[in-house]
Amino acid sequence: MERIIDIVLPAIPETLVMVLASTIIALLIGLPLGIVLTNTRPGGLNESAKVYSILDGIINVLRSFPFVILMIVVFPLSRLIVGKSYGTAAMIIPLSLSAAPFVARLMEGYFIQVDQGIIEAAKSMGSTNKEIIFKVLIPEAMPMLVSGITMTLINVIGYSAMAGVMGGGGLGDVANRYGYQRNEPLILWSAVIVIIILVQIVQFIGNKIAENIDKR
């Protein structure tokens, strides 16, 4: 048990750093993209078929990339930014780029579910598009946005395990190096159990926050 703790415990912060940093970057990219997609789509506040079709195509292409292949493709960019293509910091780049289009599509889906009657009412009162976005669209969609962030965190936890196998560190690396390569099933299953616990904690917290801010 002491050996398991010594090996698995240090890997947890590495996984948390990868997951949290990647999710924050993905949100910083994906949320604005989701807003632009919502506003430029047919019937949006700033309808633009050209802008929407270009962004829609780019996001569809990025979402089609299997994560393992995306990691390999992005290795040169990771090396350029952090100086190496392995380790926790390097894996934040492909994790972020993989999660960002997922976030953008989620946000678009949530924003278009906002009651159009509320948006029309804001328009009739003279609200600008910017005011509608930040004072109507985002607040009304907030419970769904929290659920989307929760889903993103859970997906990134899964991706981080794959990143660990490719030299990213964290629980995935522990499961691969000790559990698979050295045939130590106790360490393998310990890493798996910790990942499951992390997912359950994220889901629980996300559900509670969404419930507390949902005033409908």
Side-chain angles (χ1 to χ4, degrees), residues 6 9 48 51 75-76 83 91 94 99 115 127 137-138 157 204-205 207:
D6 288 342
L9 201 60
S48 173
V51 173
F75 275 162
M91 289 302 166
D115 188 353
S127 298
L137 198 62
I138 293 177
I157 289 173
F204 177 79
I205 294 173
N207 289 345

Side-chain angles (χ1 to χ4, degrees), residues 31-53 55 104 107-112 114 116 119 123 128-134 136-138:
L31 181 56
L33 281 176
I35 293 172
V36 173
L37 284 168
T38 305
N39 289 333
T40 57
R41 65 182 289 114
L45 295 173
N46 295 297
E47 186 175 340
S48 173
K50 184 176 182 180
V51 173
Y52 182 81
S53 62
L55 286 178
M107 298 301 138
E108 180 193 11
Y110 294 144
F111 287 138
I112 63 177
V114 173
Q116 289 299 307
I119 296 175
K123 285 182 182 178
T128 64
N129 288 346
K130 183 178 179 181
E131 289 173 335
I132 291 172
I133 291 169
F134 290 101
V136 178
L137 198 62
I138 293 177

